[in-house]
Amino acid sequence: MGNLYLIRHGQASFGASDYDVLSKLGVRQSQALGEHFAQLGLHLDRCIAGTLRRQQDTARIALDALQAHDQAIPTLDTDPDFNEFDAEGVIRTLLPDLLPHEPHALDVMRNAREQRSEFQRLFALMVQRWHEGEHTADDGLETWQAFTARIDRGLQRLLDQAQEGQNIAVFTSGGSIAALLHRVTGMTPAQAFTLNWQIVNTSFSHLKFQGHAVSLSTFNSQAHLRLLRAPELITYR
C-alpha cells in the first residue's frame, strides 16, 4: 500500500493586506515539519502543492529542511486542483444575507484580527450556508459541489499516476483536506467542516491507498509541533 500525507500550510498572515504569505510562525512550523519527517526517516517519492503562495512556500521550506538532513527530495509538482476554496468569495457573496441577523458582522469582517473568535463564528455560519447551497448558482462563486469535484479530480489524477508503495505529500489547505475527508470517509459536509476548524497549521493527515481505494489512517497529526514544547506553534488560522 502507498501512503498519502495531506499537509495543511503553515500559518498565513491573517488580517494582513495579503493573507497568502506565511507569517514568521508559519515559517517555523514548516521547518519543524521537514525536520520531523527527516527524524522519522520518511522518504517522499512525490510532492505536490496547490498554486497558492502559502501552500508553495510551506512545501519549499519543509523540503529544504528535509534535504538539510541528507534526505533526497523529489521535485515539487504543482496542481491547482488542490487550491483552497474562495473564502473571500464566500464572505463577499453570503455576508449581505447575514447582516439582518448579525448587524455587527461587517465591523467584525473589517477588524478580523482584533475579533478572531467572533470572525470564526460568523465565517463558520457563512461556510455552512455555502455548503448547503444557500446562494445562487450564477453569482460566480464556486459551489461546494464544484469545489469537491475539483478536489476529487486532483485526487483521482494523483492516484492514476501513483505507483504501488509510494509516499506522496500534498501541501494544501484546511478546506481542501475537509473535502477530501468528505470524499474518502463519506462523512457529511457539516461533519467535514466541523473537523476542518480543528486542523492545525502544518498538521498532516495520513491516508493509505491501494490503486484507487483510499482509507484514513491518521487525522491532524501535530507531533512535530507538540514535541517542541512551544505552545505558540499550535495555530488554527
Side-chain angles (χ1 to χ4, degrees):
M1 297 184 74
N3 300 289
L4 176 59
Y5 299 91
L6 303 177
I7 300 163
R8 188 187 177 197
H9 61 77
Q11 185 189 61
S13 299
F14 180 69
S17 57
D18 186 358
Y19 172 74
D20 198 23
V21 176
L22 291 184
S23 67
K24 291 181 179 179
L25 204 58
V27 171
R28 288 177 59 197
Q29 292 166 334
S30 304
Q31 291 169 335
L33 177 67
E35 290 167 359
H36 181 66
F37 279 178
Q39 291 166 1
L40 292 176
L42 178 61
H43 171 75
L44 294 176
D45 298 291
R46 191 176 178 205
C47 293
I48 304 164
T51 65
L52 301 178
R53 181 175 176 182
R54 60 190 182 274
Q55 298 169 339
Q56 290 276 325
D57 286 351
T58 298
R60 177 181 54 79
I61 293 167
L63 292 176
D64 283 350
L66 187 60
Q67 189 174 40
H69 288 266
D70 298 323
Q71 287 270 22
I73 59 171
T75 300
L76 178 64
D77 296 324
T78 298
D79 188 340
D81 279 344
F82 290 109
N83 285 357
E84 180 64 289
F85 68 89
D86 182 7
E88 291 186 2
V90 168
I91 294 172
R92 185 172 57 251
T93 302
L94 296 173
L95 180 59
D97 288 340
L98 195 64
L99 289 175
H101 311 284
E102 304 277 357
H104 65 303
L106 189 58
D107 177 68
V108 172
M109 293 299 119
R110 288 172 173 169
N111 300 281
R113 182 181 291 182
E114 289 73 35
Q115 304 182 65
R116 288 174 180 257
S117 61
E118 188 63 2
F119 171 87
Q120 178 59 36
R121 183 183 72 83
L122 294 173
F123 183 56
L125 285 176
M126 287 182 276
V127 168
Q128 179 182 346
R129 294 186 176 198
W130 172 62
H131 68 63
E132 290 178 351
E134 295 186 17
H135 63 98
T136 61
D138 60 355
D139 55 24
L141 177 65
E142 182 181 41
T143 64
W144 163 256
Q145 291 77 14
F147 173 59
T148 54
R150 166 165 65 80
I151 294 293
D152 187 59
R153 184 172 65 235
L155 175 63
Q156 295 307 313
R157 184 166 49 250
L158 182 155
L159 295 174
D160 286 342
Q161 299 169 351
Q163 298 177 21
E164 185 177 356
Q166 282 191 322
N167 296 319
I168 303 173
V170 177
F171 293 84
T172 183
S173 298
S176 306
I177 294 171
L180 284 164
L181 293 177
H182 164 69
R183 154 70 174 80
V184 169
T185 68
M187 68 176 65
T188 67
Q191 290 169 330
F193 270 98
T194 296
L195 293 180
N196 177 33
W197 308 132
Q198 306 305 315
I199 301 176
V200 169
N201 291 115
T202 69
S203 70
F204 57 92
S205 295
H206 176 200
L207 307 179
K208 293 279 191 177
F209 70 88
Q210 188 165 23
H212 282 72
V214 184
S215 60
L216 178 64
S217 177
T218 304
F219 169 68
N220 198 31
S221 176
Q222 311 151 36
H224 59 295
L225 303 176
R226 299 285 182 184
L227 288 171
L228 295 178
R229 298 182 180 179
E232 69 274 12
L233 291 175
I234 308 299
T235 62
Y236 299 87
R237 184 169 294 282

